[in-house]
Amino acid sequence: MNNTKGITILEKDYLNDLNKIKETIRNNQNKAMVVVNSAMIMTYYEIGTIINKRKVWGNKYIENLANDLGEYGNSYSFRNLKYMSQFSKEFSESEIRQQPVAQIPWGTLITVIMPKSKSHQEMLWYIKETHKNGWSRSMVLNQIAMKAYERSLINPTTTEAANNSKELTNELFKDTYVFGFLDKEKIKTEKDLKNQMIDNIINFLQELGPGFTLAGKEYKLITPTGKDFYIDLLMYHTKIHAYVVIEVKIGEFDPRDIGQLEFYVNAIDDLEKVDGDNDTIGLLLCKDADKYVAETTLKKNHLSLGISKYKLIEELPEYLERKLKEIKG
């Protein structure tokens, strides 16, 4: 008798849950199309919250929900309901409303960012970067493979001028760039390195970040006195509205390299910059750089300059392990 009463109560609770979920779906289906993804994400969060309150009931409960929600389509399959449960456990409602979580495609969130991130902080970082940069699912996978989050924890080596501009530092300078397309066996000279970057221009620009466009390779500068100089790569950044001079070196950073970079930055300001352009920026890409030597070289320099390393994917683990240990002290 008591057992029968218990079953009746469970059935009543189940039907209440089912009705709540159906009402949640119907309410959110009526939202304007412009916020369809946000409405869907909030729907899934609310459903996941309801499911998690009944977690002691086991998978049979979710199986029953999947069957009874079949009229609303495949989005409410057993598998997706399980994902909703995981999603609701991971994020708070305030995080979803305050962060761009609800603006990320569900598939990217649940099958890429959540399972492949090692911490909640890492998840939020990839969510923000995906939203800011407009990364597709495949691009997010690529960024995770190239350990973009771990690399973001290492402060880039820049001048005080660049450090004083948070926007400039975040948009332009990274401690390390990963060029997975490079064939190191074919890189004997700096020209070989530049050629591979240009031959793989789409991947190269994606790694540099949004806003970069190529103005010229071995860009020719002619001084008023008739001297010719060639900049390795001249870029223009459409968000910051400034030229970016990139010089590449196949070896370790040498302080003497900065003199050349300074000249090119000043010359572009003098010869190419027009009204509406901000001051030119310089980036030196090298295979490696001693921290003290790099920081001391850039100290008190009034130009916006940065020194970054380029790595192959297979070189990343050892490099990041060493650098992150230095940060932790």
Side-chain angles (χ1 to χ4, degrees):
M1 193 72 176
N2 289 337
N3 186 49
T4 302
K5 184 178 179 181
I7 293 173
T8 302
I9 291 173
L10 288 177
E11 287 177 346
K12 182 180 179 181
D13 287 340
Y14 174 80
L15 290 174
N16 284 337
D17 289 350
L18 180 61
N19 287 330
K20 285 181 184 176
I21 289 173
K22 286 186 175 182
E23 184 178 0
T24 297
I25 295 170
R26 285 193 296 269
N27 287 341
N28 282 288
Q29 282 178 335
N30 293 328
K31 296 286 180 73
M33 288 302 293
V34 71
V35 291
V36 165
N37 194 71
S38 295
M40 183 189 73
I41 295 292
M42 284 309 303
T43 299
Y44 290 173
Y45 175 78
E46 291 170 20
I47 292 172
T49 301
I50 294 171
I51 291 171
N52 290 338
K53 289 179 180 177
R54 307 297 186 189
K55 60 184 178 182
V56 296
W57 290 8
N59 283 342
K60 191 68 177 175
Y61 169 70
I62 301 180
E63 289 176 5
N64 289 338
L65 284 178
N67 290 331
D68 291 327
L69 294 171
E71 64 185 286
Y72 294 103
N74 295 331
S75 295
Y76 304 97
S77 65
F78 173 78
R79 183 183 182 187
N80 216 28
L81 289 172
K82 291 279 283 184
Y83 282 148
M84 294 175 204
S85 171
Q86 295 169 15
F87 178 66
S88 180
K89 287 178 185 175
E90 186 63 47
F91 297 98
S92 66
E93 184 174 350
S94 62
E95 278 182 322
I96 295 173
R97 295 191 184 281
Q98 294 169 12
Q99 306 282 348
V101 180
Q103 299 178 52
I104 304 300
W106 175 248
T108 300
L109 268 175
I110 209 70
T111 65
V112 179
I113 294 177
M114 283 179 61
K116 294 186 179 295
S117 296
K118 300 181 184 68
S119 67
H120 190 72
Q121 183 180 0
E122 184 174 343
M123 285 182 206
L124 291 178
W125 188 87
Y126 277 113
I127 286 167
K128 288 178 183 177
E129 292 300 307
T130 298
H131 176 253
K132 182 179 78 174
N133 299 321
W135 289 340
S136 65
R137 183 178 182 276
S138 62
M139 290 171 72
V140 177
L141 281 168
N142 189 49
Q143 290 297 323
I144 291 173
M146 296 194 300
K147 301 186 182 297
Y149 170 71
E150 289 89 340
R151 287 188 286 135
S152 76
L153 301 177
I154 307 171
N155 289 329
T157 303
T158 66
T159 58
E160 291 179 358
N163 284 328
N164 288 335
S165 173
K166 186 176 181 181
E167 178 191 12
L168 200 64
T169 300
N170 290 343
E171 289 288 338
L172 288 174
F173 298 119
K174 300 178 185 177
D175 169 77
T176 313
Y177 293 87
V178 181
F179 301 133
F181 54 81
L182 293 180
D183 184 348
K184 64 180 179 181
E185 301 300 325
K186 295 182 179 178
I187 299 176
K188 307 299 182 185
T189 65
E190 286 161 6
K191 185 174 182 179
D192 295 334
L193 179 57
K194 285 180 284 186
N195 286 340
Q196 287 198 34
M197 289 175 175
I198 299 304
D199 289 345
N200 297 273
I201 189 64
I202 293 176
N203 291 328
F204 177 62
L205 291 175
Q206 284 179 351
E207 177 60 7
L208 287 181
F212 277 96
T213 58
L214 178 66
K217 171 197 166 192
E218 296 182 351
Y219 188 86
K220 186 176 182 179
L221 276 177
I222 304 176
T223 71
T225 53
K227 297 285 187 180
D228 294 348
F229 294 91
Y230 296 87
I231 295 173
D232 285 347
L233 298 169
L234 182 63
M235 317 296 291
Y236 190 84
H237 201 285
T238 58
K239 291 186 177 182
I240 296 176
H241 302 291
Y243 283 103
V244 182
V245 172
I246 298 180
E247 284 293 295
V248 297
K249 304 296 177 184
I250 60 172
E252 186 173 2
F253 168 71
D254 187 307
R256 289 170 292 187
D257 298 331
I258 289 298
Q260 182 184 44
L261 186 63
E262 287 175 331
F263 169 72
Y264 288 154
V265 167
N266 285 322
I268 290 294
D269 272 344
D270 184 47
L271 301 174
E272 302 290 349
K273 178 182 165 186
V274 298
D275 291 343
D277 289 339
N278 289 310
D279 289 343
T280 301
I281 297 153
L283 174 61
L284 187 77
L285 274 175
C286 53
K287 195 71 183 71
D288 211 343
D290 179 271
K291 186 174 185 294
Y292 175 80
V293 174
E295 289 179 349
T296 303
T297 303
L298 295 184
K299 195 173 182 179
K300 297 182 180 179
N301 193 303
H302 70 283
L303 300 175
S304 290
L305 306 178
I307 299 170
S308 297
K309 282 81 72 179
Y310 65 87
K311 300 291 181 185
L312 304 177
I313 291 178
E314 57 267 29
E315 297 171 330
L316 266 184
E318 184 277 330
Y319 175 78
L320 289 175
E321 182 180 5
R322 173 167 53 86
K323 294 299 289 185
L324 293 175
K325 277 183 180 178
E326 290 177 4
I327 292 173
K328 293 176 181 177

